[in-house]
């Protein structure tokens, strides 16, 4: 159990707040594919931040993006430039998710250490939770999936793929995400169904 249920529930509540705030703040806030700029604008407005996003060149194969916080309420999101557009969208959403879900104790000054921890802790026994910084990474990924592939369409999407009406590739193109993200969204459906219903008062 890398991430505890109460942490997932907290993240889903925050995702729901972002979606609701985006609908109030942005023109066509429910557009598909979800606008990364709308997510950026919404997170900045909710938390009184200035959020800047840049495409940059990174050294190393494992770092797709990162987020830097500054004491003047400024956040810089850095996305590795040499990636497909749909992956850059997902990476940006994941870094925006960090802005939304992370508490101070989750902040990790050394990203390389977090990556090393994540690799080691992927094989933790089921009853053990991962370190806070690693949980933060896993939760941000989960949140990014939920922000870009809205929950309200998940059951119908899964049924369409199961019955052969659509493929995961079709859905990936529709939502503007890598195909693997559609797979993650289906995995999260069973894991999060009860938690999502509770978060939405169902």
């Amino acid at each position: 159990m890398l991430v505890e249920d109460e942490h997932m529930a907290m993240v889903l509540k925050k995702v729901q707040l972002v979606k609701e705030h985006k609908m109030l703040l942005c023109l066509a806030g429910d557009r598909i594919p979800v606008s990364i700029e709308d997510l950026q604008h919404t997170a900045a407005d909710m938390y009184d931040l200035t959020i800047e996003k840049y495409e940059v060149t990174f050294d190393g194969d494992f770092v797709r993006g990162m987020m830097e916080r500054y004491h003047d309420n400024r956040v810089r999101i850095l996305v590795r430039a040499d990636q497909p557009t749909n992956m850059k969208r997902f990476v940006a959403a994941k870094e925006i998710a960090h802005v939304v879900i992370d508490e101070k104790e989750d902040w990790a000054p050394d990203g390389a250490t977090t990556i090393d921890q994540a690799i080691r802790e992927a094989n933790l026994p089921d009853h053990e939770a991962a370190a806070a910084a690693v949980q933060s990474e896993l939760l941000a990924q989960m949140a990014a999936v939920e922000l870009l592939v809205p929950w309200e369409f998940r059951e119908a999407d899964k049924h369409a793929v199961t019955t052969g009406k659509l493929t995961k590739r079709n859905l990936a193109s529709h939502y503007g995400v890598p195909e693997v993200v559609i797979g993650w969204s289906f995995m999260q459906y069973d894991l999060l169904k009860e938690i999502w219903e509770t978060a939405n008062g169902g």
Side-chain angles (χ1 to χ4, degrees), residues 9-25:
M10 175 272 295
V11 166
L12 294 185
K13 287 178 182 176
K14 289 188 174 183
V15 165
Q16 187 62 23
L17 289 173
V18 169
K19 291 169 68 175
E20 291 171 358
H21 197 75
K22 179 161 64 76
M23 286 293 293
L24 294 172
L25 191 66

Side-chain angles (χ1 to χ4, degrees), residues 110-198:
D110 187 348
T113 299
T114 301
I115 292 170
D116 289 342
Q117 280 184 313
I119 293 169
R120 288 197 307 273
E121 296 183 10
N123 296 314
L124 279 175
D126 287 345
H127 63 279
E128 291 187 27
V134 175
Q135 287 201 41
S136 172
E137 287 299 306
L138 296 171
L139 290 168
Q141 176 175 300
M142 184 185 83
V145 171
E146 298 304 318
L147 288 168
L148 294 181
V149 186
W151 177 264
E152 54 266 31
F153 306 124
R154 193 77 45 83
E155 187 172 1
D157 288 344
K158 196 173 180 186
H159 179 72
V161 170
T162 301
T163 58
K165 293 179 180 177
L166 292 173
T167 66
K168 289 181 181 178
R169 180 171 294 182
N170 295 147
L171 290 174
S173 177
H174 176 65
Y175 291 115
V177 297
E179 189 173 338
V180 67
V181 172
I182 301 300
W184 292 341
S185 78
F186 289 172
M187 290 171 58
Q188 288 182 191
Y189 180 77
D190 295 326
L191 176 67
L192 301 177
K193 190 172 189 297
E194 185 176 343
I195 299 174
W196 247 129
E197 288 172 351
T198 302

Side-chain angles (χ1 to χ4, degrees), residues 2-150:
L2 292 179
V3 180
E4 297 171 352
D5 283 359
E6 58 264 32
H7 291 159
M8 290 191 286
M10 175 272 295
V11 166
L12 294 185
K13 287 178 182 176
K14 289 188 174 183
V15 165
Q16 187 62 23
L17 289 173
V18 169
K19 291 169 68 175
E20 291 171 358
H21 197 75
K22 179 161 64 76
M23 286 293 293
L24 294 172
L25 191 66
C26 302
L27 194 64
D30 58 351
R31 76 182 77 178
I32 299 293
V34 171
S35 165
I36 298 300
E37 287 67 31
D38 283 357
L39 287 177
Q40 180 179 338
H41 182 47
T42 299
D45 189 72
M46 288 177 70
Y47 294 93
D48 193 25
L49 298 169
T50 299
I51 301 178
E52 305 163 350
K53 179 166 59 70
Y54 303 99
E55 291 189 15
V56 297
T57 301
F58 284 147
D59 292 328
D61 296 327
F62 295 106
V63 179
R64 291 187 176 274
M66 66 176 62
M67 184 260 294
E68 299 174 343
R69 299 175 184 269
Y70 296 89
H71 292 296
D72 59 356
N73 285 348
R74 185 167 50 93
V75 171
R76 294 176 76 227
I77 291 174
L78 308 177
V79 177
R80 201 174 79 196
D82 61 339
Q83 304 177 85
T85 298
N86 58 7
M87 180 58 79
K88 287 190 282 192
R89 280 173 43 79
F90 183 74
V91 170
K94 178 174 169 287
E95 299 307 325
I96 292 168
H98 274 298
V99 174
V100 172
I101 70 172
D102 284 359
E103 305 295 340
K104 274 197 173 182
E105 57 268 24
D106 300 322
W107 297 357
D110 187 348
T113 299
T114 301
I115 292 170
D116 289 342
Q117 280 184 313
I119 293 169
R120 288 197 307 273
E121 296 183 10
N123 296 314
L124 279 175
D126 287 345
H127 63 279
E128 291 187 27
V134 175
Q135 287 201 41
S136 172
E137 287 299 306
L138 296 171
L139 290 168
Q141 176 175 300
M142 184 185 83
V145 171
E146 298 304 318
L147 288 168
L148 294 181
V149 186

